[in-house]
Amino acid sequence: MFVGFVGLGNMGAAMASRLVGAGHRVRVWNRSVGPMEKLMGQGAEAAGSLPELAEAEIVLSMLANDEAVRETFLRQGLLAALRPGTVHANMATVSVSLAREMAGLHRERGVSYVSSPVLGRPDAAAAGKLNIMAAGSADAIAVVQPLLDVLGKTWRFGENAEQANAAKIATNLTLACAIEAMCEAAQLAGSFGVSPVALLGMLTETAFASPAYKLYAPLIAREPTSPAGFSAALGLKDVNLALAAGEAARVPLPFASVLRDAFLESVAHGEADLEWASALARASRRRSGASGSPAGVLTPPEP
Amino acid sequence: MFVGFVGLGNMGAAMASRLVGAGHRVRVWNRSVGPMEKLMGQGAEAAGSLPELAEAEIVLSMLANDEAVRETFLRQGLLAALRPGTVHANMATVSVSLAREMAGLHRERGVSYVSSPVLGRPDAAAAGKLNIMAAGSADAIAVVQPLLDVLGKTWRFGENAEQANAAKIATNLTLACAIEAMCEAAQLAGSFGVSPVALLGMLTETAFASPAYKLYAPLIAREPTSPAGFSAALGLKDVNLALAAGEAARVPLPFASVLRDAFLESVAHGEADLEWASALARASRRRSGASGSPAGVLTPPEP
Amino acid sequence: MFVGFVGLGNMGAAMASRLVGAGHRVRVWNRSVGPMEKLMGQGAEAAGSLPELAEAEIVLSMLANDEAVRETFLRQGLLAALRPGTVHANMATVSVSLAREMAGLHRERGVSYVSSPVLGRPDAAAAGKLNIMAAGSADAIAVVQPLLDVLGKTWRFGENAEQANAAKIATNLTLACAIEAMCEAAQLAGSFGVSPVALLGMLTETAFASPAYKLYAPLIAREPTSPAGFSAALGLKDVNLALAAGEAARVPLPFASVLRDAFLESVAHGEADLEWASALARASRRRSGASGSPAGVLTPPEP
Amino acid sequence: MFVGFVGLGNMGAAMASRLVGAGHRVRVWNRSVGPMEKLMGQGAEAAGSLPELAEAEIVLSMLANDEAVRETFLRQGLLAALRPGTVHANMATVSVSLAREMAGLHRERGVSYVSSPVLGRPDAAAAGKLNIMAAGSADAIAVVQPLLDVLGKTWRFGENAEQANAAKIATNLTLACAIEAMCEAAQLAGSFGVSPVALLGMLTETAFASPAYKLYAPLIAREPTSPAGFSAALGLKDVNLALAAGEAARVPLPFASVLRDAFLESVAHGEADLEWASALARASRRRSGASGSPAGVLTPPEP
């Protein structure tokens, strides 16, 4: 298929690359040139300008946030350039209200709008192992399904695009809650001299033996050594998406309120760029008057 | 080995039965006679009185709460009856402060005190698949290890008995947080017409594919049909154990504070005996002005 | 002075009327005609169109929210019509970010922007007893000061317009907290059979003998009988202003987070239009499983 | 009247001294001798032993907490020494559950138990300006009323002693909430460069012009210079009394939960002995990444 792809951050680039590798014709566009050149080296076409993406049958977007979607599709005119019958699948984590608004604006132009945000990090994208939450008209999803199948497994959440966003936002909230729960548990047990490594090790081999817990436990029990895969600033953004969706639907979310304050405290302490799990762990330690190594106790090496 | 076992509730009875089945000599005692008779039918001995348990080499206890431990070991005199050199392994979820106090009182009498609370429900106990968190002197744990091995897998958390309690209390807090997180996620997505069954189904097959999430997701997405395995009242008790331990160690636990209020609200609404996951789900719906079926929307049958 | 006045809601109309009564030439504009006609009966001029307000030396605005300010001054062009040297004093409770943005846009046009939000209800406005929080350049405030003096007492909070908004938003947060505190206290004491009327009566005659507590205590202790002076929906708006300002300045506000969830719960229960104090009181009772009369107990008439 | 008085801390000593000054025969007892000697210099009798207090018609107690009441009246036997017909008025802030228990134990002995906790600091006690919340049988209160009249103004809250405790605990919760509200408001406004002194100055001269706000505002806006009148540790104790009463009555108190975590954080940071208002102000600043002077900005001297 002939695919236009806009938004070549870490995730977008990995996804576009995967589509190229699967033999699709992929025309890419990005605000900065570097990522485009890299994709060209893998066989992608570079659009000469943003509107040239509109020549594709399908446009996939993986832009940073609501504002970037508005900038690209509305102010810079990509939506206006799309021909009736085109399908646009927005794969980023954006707000429910943006999804609703975009679905309406696309409909007016005869363009189908599909929300298909993804769960997974760039390595999962590169391996075609993303989990994709899709919502939109069945016909439009059927059009993009071959592309989604290259990227991972699709989970359907309804006929209204915003439903996939609600599912994705709820998923990210669940992730953030799991992290905070581990932080509180580690800090509590650690204050009695229990090694966070030992506690979280047990949890992630028993009741919580799942990818999410296994991914984040080490970031909580030990100080991070590598750049953030997902930062506290992005955590704050995601929690705000949950709170905004909750407010629109009149759903109080007390855990989300706690998380908002915790991420805000992280940002206030200059830790906006820290891995979100590490940031919550530090906030937990800070509240307890501890500092230095995780949970305020020396964490012994794992046996 | 010759084991005394006190506390034949659902968990205790399953554990004692398992020990009998493994060929150990088990002498049991319980406040009410029914469970003792059932165990006798399986080959256990019944103690004629509580102090007769003291003839065993090891005493295991699985009593309901701090108060029951104090009643049995202090007021009714079981501790005073134990001979120096005996090991008492307390397998129940009790407070850190009780563990500290009991460890001291046992030490004065020359009796070893081991904390070895368990993670798992009665069926896991019957199958020898509990996860056991143990703390205490290495020598004392070595004595009871053959029994623990019959009951499940042992995880060691330190030389001070209370460390196992801290680990268990932290574990239960993590469980309660996971449940509340699923409730908020289901309520949020559900308010946009996303089926809680579908959302939690995806979560528990992907990032949260772990025993705890798989166990509780159905109780959140659907109304419960069977008696509670673990009630809201017990949830409140466990969260209070976490808050008390946190206060002793000066560790603020904001998620635990939210959970306390949520369980308290459940009790205030006459739902003390409801399954704890169902109770939190109802509290979440109630806050949103919803009622009736889970998440306020009709939950379609799973495909 | 020749004053243009836009925004004749309950507060705006009372303020404009007061200015007319003090002998100022007041030209008014409002989205709907009714309030304009009423003011004309009192001696005000009606503008034939919004831009005609620009003929005045000073423009005062008392619009409902950020959106109404943007609509009136930006989209409908009032700002563009103002002549350099004019002073615009925005007396409404709007966001810190809007104040910052408007100050900049006014500056570009050579117009002075003063933030001067007010504390007080329409009767206080009519009596010239408002408390006015003012910020902006000293010169610009000096120009409007004679008008502010007609309306009440001025408190100065800095040279940047947004500082007055920060002070007003902080003030409203303090009010909402006072209300929630009385609700929790009344519900707690009420659950032991203490009359909320008696408890709040004592508090407001002793440690809390202040206008704010005396105003709201009766709305908490008894069911409201008159239309809302300030609704739960407006309470939610104000708490959101506080949370947004806090996020911009990286200040976690845990009480504000609790209030947000409480007001959201009120809205979810169809109580958006209820007096905000009554709404918080009901939320407090609802959480406790109580319903009906305040605090779940029969409130005896005051002695 | 012949009064026995036990508990000569700062408050108790001021109260006993006031009673002596009013011409009552006051026999005192205290754990340490110093305060007794001081009272003797003012005309009080010293009891030779605790039970000698029982010769009085009325016993007033002003002990530090539940534990001290239990120690004095139960373990050290003062209750057992009281003659039937005596009235014991407990003027301290203790738990609702202790009041209920003590009322029952006194009734069994034919002794009347009145709860009459007080609002006010030692200087108010010395001046006879306390506010006294009283509950118990009308007859018993009538007996102690002449003494209460010497100490301040009495507010009646019911026939069950515990009702006065519920009222007092609710009052202290309201105080703590007012302090936290001012801290959040000051921190929020302060982050925009608004002087906390100016903001709280305005609030305490307008909507919040009450003794409680006027007392605490300076402690929030400026660093404390004198020893704590009421410490963070006592604040934590009082919030815990509220949470315990709420749990007994099944009343969730979300503000109290926030306060508990805040005071706990203070204790964790070594600020247990700091004035409670200063401690909450510091916690607020700490969360915002600020330190040093109040609200993180230089507070100019008041104009």
Side-chain angles (χ1 to χ4, degrees), chain A residues 2 17 19 34 39 50 82 117 127 142 172 218-219 226 256 270 273 285:
Chain A
F2 182 12
S17 173
L19 292 171
L39 261 296
L50 181 60
L82 295 181
N172 286 18
L219 294 169
S226 54
D273 294 329
R285 291 199 290 276

PDB file of all heavy atoms in Angstrom, chain A residues 2 17 19 34 39 50 82 117 127 142 172 218-219 226 256 270 273 285:
ATOM      1  N   PHE A   2       0.269   2.340  -0.389  1.00  0.00           N
ATOM      2  CA  PHE A   2       0.983   3.621  -0.442  1.00  0.00           C
ATOM      3  C   PHE A   2       0.589   4.413   0.817  1.00  0.00           C
ATOM      4  O   PHE A   2      -0.534   4.864   0.961  1.00  0.00           O
ATOM      5  CB  PHE A   2       0.584   4.361  -1.724  1.00  0.00           C
ATOM      6  CG  PHE A   2       1.295   5.674  -1.924  1.00  0.00           C
ATOM      7  CD1 PHE A   2       2.408   6.061  -1.159  1.00  0.00           C
ATOM      8  CD2 PHE A   2       0.865   6.553  -2.920  1.00  0.00           C
ATOM      9  CE1 PHE A   2       3.053   7.269  -1.372  1.00  0.00           C
ATOM     10  CE2 PHE A   2       1.506   7.778  -3.134  1.00  0.00           C
ATOM     11  CZ  PHE A   2       2.601   8.128  -2.360  1.00  0.00           C
ATOM     12  N   SER A  17       9.791   2.496   9.732  1.00  0.00           N
ATOM     13  CA  SER A  17      10.836   1.582   9.282  1.00  0.00           C
ATOM     14  C   SER A  17      10.284   0.163   9.128  1.00  0.00           C
ATOM     15  O   SER A  17      10.560  -0.546   8.153  1.00  0.00           O
ATOM     16  CB  SER A  17      11.981   1.619  10.302  1.00  0.00           C
ATOM     17  OG  SER A  17      12.945   0.645   9.995  1.00  0.00           O
ATOM     18  N   LEU A  19       7.224  -0.643   8.505  1.00  0.00           N
ATOM     19  CA  LEU A  19       6.319  -0.692   7.350  1.00  0.00           C
ATOM     20  C   LEU A  19       7.109  -0.793   6.052  1.00  0.00           C
ATOM     21  O   LEU A  19       6.745  -1.549   5.141  1.00  0.00           O
ATOM     22  CB  LEU A  19       5.420   0.555   7.328  1.00  0.00           C
ATOM     23  CG  LEU A  19       4.395   0.632   8.475  1.00  0.00           C
ATOM     24  CD1 LEU A  19       3.714   2.001   8.498  1.00  0.00           C
ATOM     25  CD2 LEU A  19       3.341  -0.485   8.329  1.00  0.00           C
ATOM     26  N   GLY A  34      16.653  15.130   9.786  1.00  0.00           N
ATOM     27  CA  GLY A  34      17.469  13.968  10.128  1.00  0.00           C
ATOM     28  C   GLY A  34      16.734  12.640  10.034  1.00  0.00           C
ATOM     29  O   GLY A  34      17.163  11.733   9.299  1.00  0.00           O
ATOM     30  N   LEU A  39      15.295   7.314   7.249  1.00  0.00           N
ATOM     31  CA  LEU A  39      14.274   6.434   6.663  1.00  0.00           C
ATOM     32  C   LEU A  39      14.504   6.248   5.175  1.00  0.00           C
ATOM     33  O   LEU A  39      14.268   5.159   4.612  1.00  0.00           O
ATOM     34  CB  LEU A  39      12.873   7.023   6.907  1.00  0.00           C
ATOM     35  CG  LEU A  39      12.066   6.463   8.061  1.00  0.00           C
ATOM     36  CD1 LEU A  39      11.722   4.990   7.854  1.00  0.00           C
ATOM     37  CD2 LEU A  39      12.767   6.651   9.390  1.00  0.00           C
ATOM     38  N   LEU A  50       4.795  18.910   3.247  1.00  0.00           N
ATOM     39  CA  LEU A  50       3.784  18.194   4.007  1.00  0.00           C
ATOM     40  C   LEU A  50       2.598  17.753   3.138  1.00  0.00           C
ATOM     41  O   LEU A  50       2.166  16.587   3.206  1.00  0.00           O
ATOM     42  CB  LEU A  50       3.322  19.071   5.180  1.00  0.00           C
ATOM     43  CG  LEU A  50       2.279  18.486   6.124  1.00  0.00           C
ATOM     44  CD1 LEU A  50       2.776  17.207   6.790  1.00  0.00           C
ATOM     45  CD2 LEU A  50       1.908  19.508   7.206  1.00  0.00           C
ATOM     46  N   LEU A  82      -5.943  16.324   2.080  1.00  0.00           N
ATOM     47  CA  LEU A  82      -6.338  14.912   1.903  1.00  0.00           C
ATOM     48  C   LEU A  82      -7.534  14.808   0.968  1.00  0.00           C
ATOM     49  O   LEU A  82      -8.465  15.604   1.047  1.00  0.00           O
ATOM     50  CB  LEU A  82      -6.669  14.281   3.260  1.00  0.00           C
ATOM     51  CG  LEU A  82      -5.514  14.159   4.262  1.00  0.00           C
ATOM     52  CD1 LEU A  82      -6.004  13.483   5.548  1.00  0.00           C
ATOM     53  CD2 LEU A  82      -4.335  13.388   3.688  1.00  0.00           C
ATOM     54  N   PRO A 117      -4.020   4.321  18.816  1.00  0.00           N
ATOM     55  CA  PRO A 117      -2.825   4.498  19.652  1.00  0.00           C
ATOM     56  C   PRO A 117      -2.240   3.152  20.044  1.00  0.00           C
ATOM     57  O   PRO A 117      -2.953   2.134  20.069  1.00  0.00           O
ATOM     58  CB  PRO A 117      -3.356   5.257  20.870  1.00  0.00           C
ATOM     59  CG  PRO A 117      -4.813   4.964  20.911  1.00  0.00           C
ATOM     60  CD  PRO A 117      -5.239   4.804  19.479  1.00  0.00           C
ATOM     61  N   ALA A 127       9.883  -4.587  16.175  1.00  0.00           N
ATOM     62  CA  ALA A 127       9.676  -6.037  16.084  1.00  0.00           C
ATOM     63  C   ALA A 127       8.246  -6.396  15.688  1.00  0.00           C
ATOM     64  O   ALA A 127       7.897  -7.573  15.623  1.00  0.00           O
ATOM     65  CB  ALA A 127      10.018  -6.671  17.433  1.00  0.00           C
ATOM     66  N   ALA A 142     -10.746  -1.535   8.422  1.00  0.00           N
ATOM     67  CA  ALA A 142     -10.409  -2.627   7.498  1.00  0.00           C
ATOM     68  C   ALA A 142      -9.353  -2.170   6.498  1.00  0.00           C
ATOM     69  O   ALA A 142      -8.461  -2.940   6.115  1.00  0.00           O
ATOM     70  CB  ALA A 142     -11.669  -3.108   6.774  1.00  0.00           C
ATOM     71  N   ASN A 172      -2.640   3.816  30.104  1.00  0.00           N
ATOM     72  CA  ASN A 172      -1.486   4.527  30.649  1.00  0.00           C
ATOM     73  C   ASN A 172      -1.702   4.896  32.119  1.00  0.00           C
ATOM     74  O   ASN A 172      -0.759   4.886  32.915  1.00  0.00           O
ATOM     75  CB  ASN A 172      -1.201   5.786  29.826  1.00  0.00           C
ATOM     76  CG  ASN A 172      -0.562   5.431  28.485  1.00  0.00           C
ATOM     77  OD1 ASN A 172      -0.632   4.283  28.041  1.00  0.00           O
ATOM     78  ND2 ASN A 172       0.041   6.405  27.822  1.00  0.00           N
ATOM     79  N   PRO A 218      12.839  -2.723  38.180  1.00  0.00           N
ATOM     80  CA  PRO A 218      14.266  -2.388  38.342  1.00  0.00           C
ATOM     81  C   PRO A 218      14.518  -0.880  38.377  1.00  0.00           C
ATOM     82  O   PRO A 218      15.461  -0.411  39.018  1.00  0.00           O
ATOM     83  CB  PRO A 218      14.931  -3.002  37.100  1.00  0.00           C
ATOM     84  CG  PRO A 218      13.950  -4.017  36.587  1.00  0.00           C
ATOM     85  CD  PRO A 218      12.588  -3.505  36.951  1.00  0.00           C
ATOM     86  N   LEU A 219      13.666  -0.128  37.682  1.00  0.00           N
ATOM     87  CA  LEU A 219      13.857   1.323  37.673  1.00  0.00           C
ATOM     88  C   LEU A 219      13.497   1.932  39.016  1.00  0.00           C
ATOM     89  O   LEU A 219      13.901   3.053  39.338  1.00  0.00           O
ATOM     90  CB  LEU A 219      13.001   1.954  36.577  1.00  0.00           C
ATOM     91  CG  LEU A 219      13.407   1.561  35.161  1.00  0.00           C
ATOM     92  CD1 LEU A 219      12.360   2.007  34.163  1.00  0.00           C
ATOM     93  CD2 LEU A 219      14.762   2.184  34.824  1.00  0.00           C
ATOM     94  N   SER A 226      20.412   4.862  32.461  1.00  0.00           N
ATOM     95  CA  SER A 226      20.312   5.228  31.049  1.00  0.00           C
ATOM     96  C   SER A 226      19.290   6.339  30.875  1.00  0.00           C
ATOM     97  O   SER A 226      18.535   6.649  31.788  1.00  0.00           O
ATOM     98  CB  SER A 226      19.897   4.002  30.243  1.00  0.00           C
ATOM     99  OG  SER A 226      18.717   3.463  30.794  1.00  0.00           O
ATOM    100  N   ALA A 256      -5.480   9.128  39.992  1.00  0.00           N
ATOM    101  CA  ALA A 256      -4.893  10.038  39.000  1.00  0.00           C
ATOM    102  C   ALA A 256      -4.555  11.375  39.634  1.00  0.00           C
ATOM    103  O   ALA A 256      -3.533  11.986  39.304  1.00  0.00           O
ATOM    104  CB  ALA A 256      -5.853  10.217  37.824  1.00  0.00           C
ATOM    105  N   GLY A 270      13.064  19.563  39.326  1.00  0.00           N
ATOM    106  CA  GLY A 270      14.015  19.493  38.224  1.00  0.00           C
ATOM    107  C   GLY A 270      14.178  18.111  37.638  1.00  0.00           C
ATOM    108  O   GLY A 270      15.181  17.796  36.999  1.00  0.00           O
ATOM    109  N   ASP A 273      12.873  15.327  33.183  1.00  0.00           N
ATOM    110  CA  ASP A 273      13.409  14.441  32.150  1.00  0.00           C
ATOM    111  C   ASP A 273      13.800  13.070  32.669  1.00  0.00           C
ATOM    112  O   ASP A 273      14.305  12.231  31.931  1.00  0.00           O
ATOM    113  CB  ASP A 273      14.636  15.107  31.502  1.00  0.00           C
ATOM    114  CG  ASP A 273      14.229  16.354  30.748  1.00  0.00           C
ATOM    115  OD1 ASP A 273      13.094  16.398  30.239  1.00  0.00           O
ATOM    116  OD2 ASP A 273      15.055  17.279  30.663  1.00  0.00           O
ATOM    117  N   ARG A 285      10.583   8.564  48.088  1.00  0.00           N
ATOM    118  CA  ARG A 285      11.678   8.660  49.064  1.00  0.00           C
ATOM    119  C   ARG A 285      11.727  10.046  49.687  1.00  0.00           C
ATOM    120  O   ARG A 285      11.960  10.195  50.885  1.00  0.00           O
ATOM    121  CB  ARG A 285      13.014   8.353  48.383  1.00  0.00           C
ATOM    122  CG  ARG A 285      13.155   6.903  47.980  1.00  0.00           C
ATOM    123  CD  ARG A 285      14.614   6.521  47.755  1.00  0.00           C
ATOM    124  NE  ARG A 285      15.197   7.119  46.572  1.00  0.00           N
ATOM    125  CZ  ARG A 285      15.094   6.638  45.345  1.00  0.00           C
ATOM    126  NH1 ARG A 285      14.377   5.544  45.113  1.00  0.00           N
ATOM    127  NH2 ARG A 285      15.684   7.225  44.328  1.00  0.00           N
TER     128      ARG A 285
END
